[in-house]
Every structure is written in C-alpha cells, then in structure tokens.
Amino acid sequence: MSGFEKFKRILSDARTGAGRQSLHARLAARLSSRVAPSFSQHHVLAEDILGASRTAPQPTPRPSGRPLRIGWIVTPPIPGSGGHTTAFRMVEELQLAGHRCELLLYDVFGGSVEERTGAIRAGWPHLDVEVRSLDSGLDGLDACVATGWQTAYALSARSRGLDLHRFYFIQDYEPFFYARGYEYELAEATYRLGFHMIALGEMIEEHLGALGVPCSRVPFGCDTDDYTLLAPRPRSGVVLYARASTPRRGPLLAMTGLEEFHRRRPDVPIKVFGPQERASFTFPVDWQGRLTPGQLNELYNSSVAGLGLSFTNISLVVDEMLAAGCVPVVNDSHDGRLVVRSPHVRWVEPTPAALADALTAVVDEPPTDFAAMAASTNPSWRVTRERFAAVVTDSVTGRGSA
C-alpha cells in the first residue's frame, strides 16, 4: 500500500469533530515531507499519461437509425457530486433516445466495483445503466466520453487501435483547479488529445477558443424540476454550501465574509449545508448537513440570500437559488457573467467586506419579485440534454454538428 493510500485510510477511520481537524493537519504536515509525489494523488495512472497520444485517428461513421453503444469514463462518484449529476443527465438523455450507455469506473485505488455500483444506484436511483471497471476494456463501443482530465488520459491511452469515436465533456476549465505548475499543464494538455470537445457553457468555450481548440457548446442548464418557487412563506437568513476541500469555491472568502456579516447582523441565521465539518466554523450556524434536492429547495424558499462563489465555471447553486427566489451573492468575474445573465444576481468584489456588504443589503431590504427572479435562470437541463445527444449522434453517424 502506498503512503498516500495509507493516509486516505487513516483519515477515513478518524473521528469527526475538532479532533479530526487537528489530526488532518498533523498527518498532512508529516506525510508531505515523507511521501513522494505520485500521479495517484490526482486520481490518474502514470501509464495512462505516458500512453496518451495527441493523434486521434478518424473513426468510421456508424449507420444512422441503429442504437449506439456509448461508454462513459467516470471517477467513482461521491453522494451529491454536481459534476457526476450533470454527466448522468446526458447519459439518461442518450438512453431515452434508444442508445446503450455504460459507466466505466476509472478507480486508481482499485476499489470494489460492487460497492461503487451500489453508491451510484443509491445516489442516482433513476439512472438505469450498466456499471463496470474501465479495466474490462473498450471493445465493442461505438463511442466513449471522457468526463474529466484524468479520464481523458485514460481514454486516449486505452483506445489506441480501436475504431472508436472519442468525446470529452468539459464542465469546467480544470487547469484552474491547480496552481501554475505541472498539474496545471497536465490538465490543459488534455484539450489537445484530438477528441471531439463538448463544452458546458460559454466560459469553457471561450477558454478553449483561446487555446485554438474547437468545440461544440451545450448550454449551462438549471434544474427547474427540483428547484422552483413554493407557496409563499416567511424568509429569513442566508445560505452557504460549505466545502472546505474545494478551493475554487472560495471557502476562505466565504468563511471570513460570513464572520463579518455575523458581526454586523448577529440575529440573522446563517444556514449551512454540505460536507464540511460543523466544528470548523468560528461563528454560530444553523447546521443543515447533507440535503436532498427537495430539502434544499425548501431551504432556499425559506431564505433571503445565499453565497454562490466560484473562481472557475459558475456554481450550480446560483441558478438553483434564483429558481427558488433566494438572492445569490456571487464573486464578480468575466467568466461567471458569461454563463449567468440574470439581473437578480448580486455580483460583488471578492473581498470579505464586499461579501458582508451585499448580504447585509439584501437582508435589510429583501426582494419581493420572486417570480421574476425564478424566470431569470438559465434554461432547463432538458435543452442541454437534447443538444448534447444531438452532438454525439450527429458526430458518430457522420452528419456533423456545430
């Protein structure tokens, strides 16, 4: 067992609470000086990086009118994963169109396929799809879709010599997940592997364009089935999706901004949901834990405002809040404004004081135009799903797509 795998096992066995936070810090400090860097830390195998090719052969067009067999390479999902949820929406649409989709698990730690399959069935019960290990191969597929930079390397390396249409569904500009270094370059290099790129929204399209990489764009959608206005009710407080392990969601900015907001308005509840530990907060919170979409919609419908911070592609919670009449406060950026154009978003400078200013202003003068707010979201995911399915089928059958 590698040092990193031992680290993961120790953390998973540790108790929750303040003691766990301290344990995390001590172990990280000790192991960082003892464990050599490895590709497995980034959920990718060295042999897949070495085996990838920037030359993608032209596959044979498939006949129109027959079902396609399409593989989806995914990392093992955790409950509530937004990226997996969005990808699985596209899977469902292709299956509704009569095609056969298969999830190919890319698990560099060799976890149990049965356990991973059980987690998928529990987290996405409407997804009726075969699940198997990527190690079982890609033979017999008409097409295969990579869903992240790690899986793009795996697709490139493991599809050599196969007559296979290769796609890359890009939901975020993943080089931005890292500091400028080798990991950044590894992620960016996957956009040059010769796949048919499918970009989620204008932000991804623009960044790929700056690299000279063509792509098909599908619209960034909103879950208007689960998130909607409910019967009028009293609204109070602000909402935070807390995930300290995801720097691109600005957890430090959120924590310091909310701490300042609490200092100014100590009687306003701060409602927190997500995987972050409750003990990590330095101010009182109304702890919600993990919520189902239905529970989250109830929470948004009973709240005045919420934080939707993101320093890469826009967070899904922004549109979801709008749909429920909850004002999203979002760090201002060119990338964010490319994707969300609602006039009801409060765009703010990414500083704790500006965050607290915006939250204070909203709770002091709450909005009343909830219907207009809900109508200002991006289109339903139905539009995205249909466009995605058309791109894939047109490309595979040789009809072409824009």
Side-chain angles (χ1 to χ4, degrees), residues 148-171:
W149 73 263
Q150 300 93 337
T151 64
Y153 279 115
L155 175 55
S156 180
R158 302 189 189 202
S159 64
R160 285 192 168 195
L162 297 179
D163 182 15
L164 182 70
H165 291 258
R166 300 159 180 83
F167 296 89
Y168 189 176
F169 183 33
I170 306 172
Q171 298 188 46

Side-chain angles (χ1 to χ4, degrees), residues 25-359:
R26 293 199 307 272
L27 287 175
R30 290 180 61 187
L31 288 174
S32 64
S33 63
R34 297 186 181 186
V35 180
S38 69
F39 288 113
S40 64
Q41 297 177 44
H42 304 296
H43 301 273
V44 64
L45 296 175
E47 54 262 38
D48 288 325
I49 293 175
L50 292 170
S53 172
R54 294 181 66 170
T55 302
Q58 288 296 321
T60 304
R62 275 30 174 197
S64 300
R66 76 161 174 84
L68 301 173
R69 186 179 168 198
I70 304 169
W72 289 73
I73 306 179
V74 298
T75 54
I78 60 173
S81 168
H84 285 89
T85 297
T86 301
F88 293 164
R89 287 188 175 108
M90 310 305 127
V91 171
E92 288 180 312
E93 185 64 26
L94 284 164
Q95 296 220 135
L96 284 173
H99 306 295
R100 175 184 171 187
C101 289
E102 304 169 18
L103 299 186
L104 311 177
L105 293 175
Y106 185 52
D107 186 353
V108 301
F109 299 110
S112 164
V113 174
E114 291 73 20
E115 290 181 5
R116 303 297 194 192
T117 301
I120 292 170
R121 303 286 187 233
W124 294 269
H126 302 298
L127 186 67
D128 182 16
V129 63
E130 178 185 350
V131 182
R132 58 186 175 90
S133 170
L134 176 60
D135 294 338
S136 61
L138 302 173
D139 291 332
L141 296 177
D142 295 299
C144 194
V145 184
T147 57
W149 73 263
Q150 300 93 337
T151 64
Y153 279 115
L155 175 55
S156 180
R158 302 189 189 202
S159 64
R160 285 192 168 195
L162 297 179
D163 182 15
L164 182 70
H165 291 258
R166 300 159 180 83
F167 296 89
Y168 189 176
F169 183 33
I170 306 172
Q171 298 188 46
D172 213 331
Y173 194 74
E174 293 183 325
F176 288 164
F177 293 6
Y178 308 98
R180 287 305 296 263
Y182 184 48
E183 290 83 357
Y184 184 105
E185 296 297 332
L186 273 177
E188 190 173 80
T190 61
Y191 303 141
R192 302 185 179 92
L193 293 177
F195 302 151
H196 185 147
M197 308 293 177
I198 306 178
L200 181 63
E202 291 85 348
M203 178 262 197
I204 306 301
E205 180 183 43
E206 182 173 286
H207 282 282
L208 292 179
L211 296 176
V213 176
C215 69
S216 299
R217 173 172 57 83
V218 295
F220 199 105
C222 176
D223 184 357
T224 53
D225 293 326
D226 287 319
Y227 300 95
T228 185
L229 284 178
L230 301 176
R233 64 201 60 201
R235 291 178 180 261
S236 66
V238 301
V239 178
L240 169 69
Y241 172 64
R243 189 172 180 178
S245 62
T246 311
R248 66 184 181 275
R249 300 307 187 206
L252 184 59
L253 172 60
M255 294 284 279
T256 51
L258 285 171
E259 187 170 27
E260 172 59 17
F261 171 72
H262 173 69
R263 187 190 66 79
R264 300 182 190 182
R265 297 293 183 273
D267 296 331
V268 176
I270 298 173
K271 309 170 188 180
V272 178
F273 71 97
Q276 189 168 325
E277 295 288 350
R278 181 174 189 168
S280 63
F281 292 90
T282 59
F283 46 85
V285 298
D286 181 359
W287 185 253
Q288 305 288 318
R290 295 181 183 269
L291 300 176
T292 65
Q295 292 169 331
L296 185 52
N297 189 48
E298 292 274 357
L299 181 65
Y300 288 154
N301 271 270
S302 64
S303 304
V304 178
L307 294 185
L309 307 180
S310 180
F311 289 85
T312 56
N313 210 355
I314 200 77
S315 171
L316 294 173
V317 305
V318 174
D319 264 333
E320 294 166 358
M321 290 178 186
L322 286 169
C326 178
V327 178
V329 175
V330 185
N331 55 295
D332 200 358
S333 71
H334 171 72
D335 286 345
R337 287 178 180 267
L338 282 174
V339 180
V340 174
R341 295 185 172 87
S342 169
H344 301 278
V345 173
R346 300 292 179 99
W347 299 100
V348 300
E349 183 182 359
T351 67
L355 218 62
D357 288 343
L359 292 172

